[in-house]
Amino acid sequence: MSPDFHEIWVYLSASPLAGLTLTLVAYQAGLWVFERFGRRPILNPVLIAVLLIAGLLTATGVEYRTYFDGAQFVHFLLGPATVALAVPLYKQFNEVRRSAPALLVALLAGSAASALSAVGIAWALGASQRTLLSLAPKSVTSPIAMGVSEQIGGLPSLTAVFVILTGIIAASLGTWVLNLVRVKDWRARGFGMGVAAHGIGTARALQVNEVAGAFAGLGMGLNALATAILLPVLYHLIFG
Amino acid sequence: MLGTLTILLLCQLAGELITRVLHLPVPGPVIGMVLLFVGLLVKGDVPAPLQDTAGGILRHLSLLFVPAGVGVMAHLHRLGTEALPIAAALFGSTLLGIALTAWVMSALSRNGEDRS
């Protein structure tokens, strides 16, 4: 390595600029692929971006922590974005109020089914307890999921990965499974995506239909609340 | 744009403070969302700049998950040794969660409409 190149490398790995730029470029590339090949849900831009960045970091031997030091500025925006979900929610408020009882029952059913089936399936197939506990909160938005995971003895960073993978699965296969169970109502379709797959499910729902997007945002918020309150209680009931 | 961003951050900050002071199990941004929602109810409509900025951020919501997603790198070993249970659990529970939530909601609201 020439001295110049070394100096540039040191600069790049110390400044947030590289991680930040890499994140945006990789996501743009993901969007490009998604648009270019007929917007197939399986070509999820998040999935593509994650694979590109993880591949590049592995190839160059850069640690995740170093990358995240820069990329955390993008990560930070999750907070204001969550607050901003109040806007589509407000615009659908009349609809929401009208279907409040149905929403509540569907929320409890979906929230419990997501968490219990995740833990149940993994347990039946012999996953370790650490993995089971990290899986339980995977349907809710990452800051909450990580908090709950820590509370019940899981690994928060592993939970974050499960959260993202859940979102990618929902964004890729959600439309298919919703057609399979023949739900046509945009409110119900969106709400299902939001409850089961937080922000990535919501992002996908917003892409498809505005009403679905608003209900997805609502589902994500409500399930965050439900999971944060119910899961630690459930954990204490089961594991004592 | 700048004013709106300030409002969003103020709501988030207030939310973080409220969760800490009251020891709520809910993350600050979710409380922030509730605060902004209540603010919109009081005001009675969505100001155009807020509409634009919120729309802009939410259009690229999935970008914001990329940095955390790359964290998959740090767990490759565990994901490798427990690949089958993890994959089955993630696919099974996610698809079940979406289908059940949407189905229950649509079944219940259809009944409601029939009665009314």
Side-chain angles (χ1 to χ4, degrees):
Chain A
M1 217 188 273
S2 74
D4 273 358
F5 192 81
H6 181 72
E7 226 166 81
I8 291 172
W9 186 249
V10 168
Y11 165 75
L12 281 180
S13 47
S15 147
L17 185 61
L20 205 50
T21 313
L22 178 60
T23 307
L24 289 174
V25 169
Y27 184 73
Q28 294 276 359
L31 273 183
W32 182 83
V33 172
F34 177 68
E35 297 287 346
R36 178 74 182 72
F37 296 96
R39 304 172 68 96
R40 283 172 217 277
I42 195 77
L43 297 173
N44 185 278
V46 180
L47 179 63
I48 295 169
V50 165
L51 291 178
L52 282 175
I53 297 170
L56 189 69
L57 295 183
T58 311
T60 51
V62 175
E63 281 197 34
Y64 173 61
R65 199 176 289 270
T66 312
Y67 158 76
F68 193 81
D69 278 344
Q72 62 175 311
F73 297 102
V74 173
H75 182 76
F76 172 79
L77 286 175
L78 276 173
T82 305
V83 175
L85 283 170
V87 174
L89 188 57
Y90 173 76
K91 290 167 78 184
Q92 299 296 328
F93 184 49
N94 282 331
E95 283 286 337
V96 171
R97 206 164 29 179
R98 206 172 311 145
S99 36
L103 285 172
L104 202 65
V105 178
L107 165 70
L108 291 177
S111 177
S114 304
L116 293 177
S117 66
V119 175
I121 293 172
W123 175 79
L125 295 173
S128 66
Q129 188 173 349
R130 260 291 156 80
T131 301
L132 292 181
L133 294 174
S134 307
L135 271 169
K138 54 108 213 166
S139 281
V140 298
T141 187
S142 41
I144 305 175
M146 291 169 79
V148 172
S149 172
E150 189 164 25
Q151 223 178 341
I152 63 177
L155 293 170
S157 64
L158 183 62
T159 297
V161 170
F162 291 155
V163 168
I164 311 283
L165 291 175
T166 294
I168 292 173
I169 291 170
S172 310
L173 300 174
T175 302
W176 170 78
V177 78
L178 286 167
N179 290 340
L180 193 73
V181 295
R182 297 204 191 91
V183 174
K184 295 199 182 78
D185 186 342
W186 285 116
R187 297 169 304 171
R189 290 175 72 104
F191 195 64
M193 292 290 273
V195 167
H198 58 87
I200 303 183
T202 302
R204 169 73 190 159
L206 278 168
Q207 232 174 33
V208 178
N209 179 287
E210 200 195 345
V211 174
F215 275 78
L218 176 69
M220 158 179 158
L222 289 178
N223 196 18
L225 223 66
T227 302
I229 297 167
L230 294 181
L231 213 53
V233 176
L234 212 62
Y235 170 77
H236 285 296
L237 286 178
I238 297 172
F239 292 96
Chain B
M1 163 88 193
L2 196 58
T4 309
L5 208 54
T6 313
I7 291 175
L8 293 179
L9 287 176
L10 279 174
C11 287
Q12 187 185 349
L13 182 62
E16 300 283 3
L17 293 177
I18 289 172
T19 55
R20 276 171 181 71
V21 170
L22 300 180
H23 299 289
L24 299 179
V26 188
V30 173
I31 301 292
M33 174 172 87
V34 175
L35 292 176
L36 181 60
F37 181 72
V38 171
L40 289 172
L41 279 182
V42 171
K43 193 166 185 315
D45 74 327
V46 183
L50 177 59
Q51 173 68 56
D52 292 346
T53 307
I57 294 182
L58 294 179
R59 225 182 340 273
H60 296 293
L61 185 58
S62 51
L63 160 70
L64 312 184
F65 291 94
V66 172
V70 180
V72 73
M73 281 175 67
H75 293 287
L76 286 180
H77 178 70
R78 186 182 292 262
L79 295 176
T81 51
E82 299 184 55
L84 177 67
I86 290 176
L90 288 177
F91 275 96
S93 68
T94 304
L95 297 181
L96 176 70
I98 297 173
L100 188 70
T101 311
W103 184 80
V104 169
M105 157 108 188
S106 120
L108 288 179
S109 42
R110 201 174 322 141
N111 288 341
E113 274 159 27
D114 286 347
R115 258 182 269 127
S116 59

